[in-house]
Amino acid sequence: MSNDGATPMVVDIWSDVMCPWCLVGWRSFAEGARLAADDVAVTIRWMPFELNPQMPPEGRLQVEHLAKTYDRSEEEIDTMRAELEGAAERVGFPIDWQGEGEAPPAMMWNTFDCHKLLRWALASYGPEKQTKLKETMFAAHFQQRLNMADRDMLVDLCEKAGLDAAAAREALDDEALELAVRAEEERGVSGGISAVPTFVVNHKYMLQGAQEPEDFARALLQIANMEAAA
């Protein structure tokens, strides 16, 4: 996505696997970065944000969770889902059921272990592998409707993304890693992260929401110009 003359940038993406707009926003941002690649070289790092930190291990039906959290009717939820599916389709990552047989119910899960593994992947393998794991998790949740709180399943996802399964299992039990993720979550909140997706460029420029690729590209080029003038 870059050439030798491009301005290097580090973009921290605060996001949760449960968040469909995070998926849409990521794919749109990635396209924006591609559009700006002649001038900007982007390194992506995924940061932890839990939409539902109190979610129990057994999860909750998505329709029930949305109805309670947003006070929406079943018809309104169906409209929301259709809008999201259309947006995801447009960015090339459909979120309708992709498995075999009858679709299981859509669920919401506790994602803390997902964030632990993402931080471990960044530290152990680097940004590209971390992004590969993030997209693998998005697919598992939205397309396969797998249990994102099941540790055996998460280890399988790590292996699918090209990461060492045994090391991933050890990471899930690493207390220091748990503390590090908690610290990152607190850093995000104290830094003003209150909604996702949020893209923080070079630790100081904040872009929010699932914008259009051209808007992301324009913002990256503007930031590159400001950085050059500083």
Side-chain angles (χ1 to χ4, degrees):
M1 293 201 302
S2 66
N3 63 29
D4 292 339
T7 300
M9 288 184 180
V10 175
V11 180
D12 292 334
I13 305 179
W14 299 83
S15 137
D16 193 11
V17 176
M18 293 294 102
C19 169
W21 287 116
C22 290
L23 166 57
V24 173
W26 153 240
R27 277 305 187 93
S28 185
F29 179 87
E31 175 61 13
R34 188 193 67 79
L35 293 174
D38 285 346
D39 300 289
V40 175
V42 173
T43 297
I44 299 296
R45 304 188 307 188
W46 295 90
M47 297 292 143
F49 187 100
E50 291 179 86
L51 284 174
N52 306 291
Q54 305 305 318
M55 184 68 66
E58 66 273 16
R60 185 177 297 147
L61 286 171
Q62 184 188 86
V63 64
E64 293 178 359
H65 175 78
L66 294 176
K68 181 178 180 180
T69 302
Y70 300 105
D71 191 24
R72 300 293 177 88
S73 68
E74 186 172 339
E75 291 76 15
E76 288 173 322
I77 292 171
D78 287 341
T79 299
M80 289 171 56
R81 183 178 292 114
E83 179 184 359
L84 284 166
E85 288 180 353
E89 190 75 37
R90 287 192 293 275
V91 297
F93 204 123
I95 60 172
D96 55 322
W97 166 245
Q98 303 286 308
E100 298 179 358
E102 184 177 353
M107 298 287 292
M108 301 294 289
W109 303 103
N110 186 297
T111 56
F112 187 71
D113 281 342
C114 293
H115 291 300
K116 286 181 70 175
L117 289 172
L118 286 164
R119 182 174 177 83
W120 162 76
L122 178 62
S124 300
Y125 292 90
E128 289 188 9
K129 282 290 189 179
Q130 188 200 31
T131 291
K132 175 65 175 176
L133 178 59
K134 183 74 172 190
E135 287 211 331
T136 301
M137 288 179 171
F138 275 142
H141 175 57
F142 290 109
Q143 297 178 343
Q144 301 296 322
R145 299 189 182 179
L146 299 178
N147 182 345
M148 302 306 292
D150 182 277
R151 287 191 162 192
D152 289 336
M153 191 279 299
L154 291 176
V155 169
D156 288 343
L157 292 184
C158 287
E159 191 169 27
K160 183 177 180 180
L163 314 182
D164 183 76
R169 196 173 295 279
E170 290 179 3
L172 286 170
D173 292 324
D174 188 335
E175 292 184 5
L177 184 61
E178 179 173 344
L179 292 173
V181 174
R182 295 295 186 201
E184 285 288 5
E185 289 180 326
E186 292 175 8
R187 182 172 72 86
V189 172
S190 65
I193 307 298
S194 59
V196 288
T198 295
F199 306 80
V200 179
V201 183
N202 289 354
H203 308 291
K204 54 185 175 180
Y205 305 98
M206 187 179 293
L207 309 173
Q208 293 184 307
Q211 303 178 32
E212 292 298 320
E214 294 78 10
D215 294 329
F216 278 127
R218 187 159 43 248
L220 290 172
L221 293 174
Q222 289 173 346
I223 291 170
N225 290 333
M226 288 188 289
E227 291 285 271

